[in-house]
Amino acid sequence: MLTKMEHLWELTAIPDVTWQMVVMWAVVAVLMYLAVARQFEPLLLIPIAFGALLANLPTEGVLNAPVGEHAGGLYWYISKGIEWEIFPPLIFLGVGALTDFGPLIANPRTLLLGAAAQVGVFVTFLGAIFLGFSPQEAASIGIIGGADGPTSIFLTNKLAPHLLGPIAVAAYSYMALVPLIQPPIMRALTTPEERRIRMKSLRQVTRLEKLVFAFLVTIVVILLVPAASALIGMLMLGNFLRESLVTERLTKASQNEIINVVTIFLGTSVGITMTGERFLTPETLKILALGVVAFGFSTAGGVLMAKAMNLVVKEKINPLIGSAGVSAVPMAARVSHVEGQKADPNNYLLMHAMGPNVAGVIGTAVVAGYFLAWFS
């Protein structure tokens, strides 16, 4: 017969703790440190880390599936927002409402820089194939190079849901490290003279132009890449609300309440997938390594495209803005601006860099749609 102490011990969850859980507590602590102390993407790394903590505790009422008349756990339901492809498009709604496409419309040639920056996606895709990943897994890993967390989650959930945790952590961690990863590559690929190139001030873009742009991009992209419909549709809906100037309440809700609530649920739902058995594998280390490769090639692709364009255009482009072709909005554009000011303190590249930056958002969504159409 059990003693009272033995009975109390069995009522606890301590006997269910595994070594993998303990190791993941350390991983969670590192993520929390990066988010809180170093402020690396805290809005997403904190929810992801806390979700991972819950995933590596012997919880009740959190992850269990419904049985008969008994309801499932909280995150059995919330995680459906990823499984059913609800959360990432809603994040895109907020991104569209927060983004000004004016710099891209004023200088449409920067669309090529956003497209060139996607080279990191395809190089990493081939690298992942070489390392033994399946095409579906390689596509999910490659999209990290687009520097777009919601798109990475959207695509991975479709093609390789078992890799959702490490891919999301890699995508958001390296997005936070853009100010550290990009500048050495940018300086290595440009000369001091190129970094000092001054670009003409952008023209004022009218509200009608912005509305027509959102309308036409929605039609053209969905016709060409229907698999990207959810992402592009929500992105342009958010932008149309912003530029219409007649839906202030809806615009503010998209920019604030909706995107904030969804960010919490999206991050924790991703973290919930990071159990020790899934995360502590050699594949995770490969994904983290490939993520750096993806960002490096994406940065280089945009810079080299700008240099190539300067061989044939009269109005020179500062190659530094090519690095903003990754879709980490607006962080990558700020990095281009800061590097430009190091070469010439009176050179202002921020608005010029926003063109390829928002083009990168569209480009990454299109590439994700291509991968979905090809591999799903």
Side-chain angles (χ1 to χ4, degrees):
M1 189 171 181
L2 294 176
T3 65
K4 287 185 177 181
M5 289 301 296
E6 290 173 332
H7 183 63
L8 287 173
W9 176 259
E10 287 196 348
L11 290 177
T12 71
I14 297 173
D16 298 322
V17 174
T18 65
W19 70 266
Q20 292 101 327
M21 291 180 178
V22 175
V23 173
M24 287 303 297
W25 297 347
V27 172
V28 168
V30 171
L31 293 177
M32 288 292 193
Y33 169 77
L34 293 175
V36 178
R38 305 303 298 274
Q39 297 186 17
F40 287 174
E41 291 290 334
L43 296 180
L44 270 154
L45 279 189
I46 288 178
I48 288 175
F50 210 90
L53 179 61
L54 293 176
N56 290 281
L57 287 169
T59 56
E60 291 185 9
V62 176
L63 296 171
N64 54 289
V67 179
E69 296 181 356
H70 297 282
L74 175 65
Y75 271 89
W76 190 88
Y77 297 103
I78 292 179
S79 295
K80 298 301 179 185
I82 291 180
E83 184 180 335
W84 294 342
E85 302 162 18
I86 297 171
F87 291 159
L90 288 179
I91 293 287
F92 261 56
L93 175 69
V95 171
L98 287 163
T99 304
D100 180 9
F101 286 98
L104 175 60
I105 300 170
N107 192 4
R109 61 182 177 169
T110 57
L111 187 66
L112 296 176
L113 302 180
Q118 307 307 312
V119 68
V121 174
F122 293 100
V123 168
T124 308
F125 168 77
L126 295 175
I129 291 288
F130 177 77
L131 290 178
F133 288 97
S134 70
Q136 290 80 3
E137 293 170 336
S140 302
I141 296 168
I143 209 70
I144 295 173
D148 191 325
T151 303
S152 298
I153 293 170
F154 181 83
L155 183 66
T156 304
N157 180 64
K158 281 274 204 176
L159 300 183
H162 56 288
L163 297 181
L164 185 59
I167 286 177
V169 168
Y172 284 112
S173 298
Y174 292 136
M175 281 172 62
L177 292 172
V178 160
L180 298 178
I181 295 173
Q182 287 195 318
I185 300 170
M186 296 159 68
R187 290 192 290 267
L189 295 176
T190 56
T191 65
E193 292 74 21
E194 288 175 324
R195 294 195 288 273
R196 287 193 290 266
I197 292 175
R198 293 192 179 187
M199 299 175 65
K200 289 175 58 177
S201 297
L202 296 173
R203 68 175 180 85
Q204 189 69 30
V205 177
T206 66
R207 180 173 65 145
L208 178 60
E209 286 179 286
K210 293 179 180 180
L211 292 173
V212 171
F213 178 81
F215 186 78
L216 291 179
V217 168
T218 304
I219 294 174
V220 172
V221 172
I222 290 177
L223 286 177
L224 294 177
V225 192
S229 298
L231 297 179
I232 290 295
M234 289 297 100
L235 178 69
M236 292 304 162
L237 170 59
N239 192 252
F240 201 93
L241 291 173
R242 168 197 171 97
E243 303 301 347
S244 69
L245 303 182
V246 294
T247 57
E248 183 178 359
R249 287 169 53 194
L250 300 183
T251 302
K252 287 184 176 179
S254 301
Q255 293 173 336
N256 296 287
E257 292 85 1
I258 293 175
I259 196 171
N260 289 337
V261 171
V262 173
T263 295
I264 295 172
F265 290 157
L266 176 69
T268 49
S269 296
V270 168
I272 285 290
T273 69
M274 293 170 58
T275 59
E277 292 78 7
R278 285 185 177 183
F279 197 82
L280 300 175
T281 64
E283 284 72 24
T284 297
L285 294 178
K286 292 178 183 178
I287 290 169
L288 294 175
L290 287 166
V292 175
V293 173
F295 267 71
F297 274 97
S298 291
T299 300
V303 172
L304 293 175
M305 173 57 79
K307 289 167 69 77
M309 291 171 65
N310 281 343
L311 298 176
V312 296
V313 298
K314 289 184 178 180
E315 294 183 12
K316 301 299 182 184
I317 299 171
N318 190 312
L320 293 177
I321 73 169
S323 66
V326 299
S327 58
V329 180
M331 189 184 303
R334 289 199 193 109
V335 171
S336 299
H337 175 70
V338 169
E339 286 302 307
Q341 291 219 309
K342 288 179 181 178
D344 178 0
N346 296 314
N347 197 3
Y348 297 92
L349 295 175
L350 183 59
M351 292 310 295
H352 296 289
M354 284 302 297
N357 208 184
V358 297
V361 177
I362 299 172
T364 303
V366 170
V367 172
Y370 167 81
F371 278 148
L372 277 177
W374 193 261
F375 296 117
S376 63

